[in-house]
Amino acid sequence: MRGLRVVGAALVSVVVLCACGAGGGSGEASASPTASASAPPSPSPAESLVRMTRTGGFAGRTSSVLVKGDGSWTRLDGDAKPTGSGKLTPEELERLRSALAAADFAHLPRVSKSGTPVYDGFEYTIVHGGFEVVTADGSVPPALQDVLSALPPSEG
């Protein structure tokens, strides 16, 4: 039951944070992702670039990191309360964008847990470009390892 509350609270937070950053908007539809191998279209500064939720570990904690198109980020705890924020440097943002492009989310398996289980390890849910992938310690594809290492820390 607590798990459902945590997931519900995280989803509400994402919607609220995205709505707060929208600034009224112009009513124009956003560009859809392309299959370009060079670089995916950049989201507007207020749009979400990537969201990563990490659950598990010895203490069974949940935390999320939301990164917007301008590199600003917010860290949330398991109750969807902000626990930190900041902004990536231009170099860090470029590293994250490159890792996201190289990961090719459209062709990743939606769930990747085929490796050796890591007891008390973490499960990661990553949302980018309209795609959601789930993986866990011991099964993280190399392309997602680069994404995870380019994100701000999920705990502060």
Side-chain angles (χ1 to χ4, degrees), residues 6-126:
V6 169
V7 170
L11 289 175
V12 168
S13 296
V14 169
V15 171
V16 169
L17 287 171
C18 289
C20 289
S26 62
E28 295 177 15
S30 61
S32 61
T34 64
S36 169
S38 59
S42 297
S44 75
E47 291 179 7
S48 175
L49 175 62
V50 63
R51 178 190 70 198
M52 185 277 300
T53 299
R54 185 181 81 166
T55 59
F58 180 75
R61 293 185 176 177
T62 298
S63 60
S64 297
V65 175
L66 310 168
V67 181
K68 292 185 179 182
D70 66 353
S72 61
W73 57 268
T74 303
R75 183 182 315 116
L76 304 170
D77 67 12
D79 294 323
K81 294 179 184 169
T83 60
S85 63
K87 188 163 184 174
L88 298 174
T89 66
E91 294 79 18
E92 291 169 330
L93 181 57
E94 180 55 35
R95 179 175 172 234
L96 177 58
R97 286 184 188 278
S98 295
L100 290 167
D104 192 14
F105 275 68
H107 296 100
L108 285 173
R110 298 297 145 236
V111 177
S112 176
K113 293 186 180 179
S114 59
T116 304
V118 175
Y119 298 103
D120 295 325
F122 291 102
E123 178 176 292
Y124 305 91
T125 302
I126 305 169

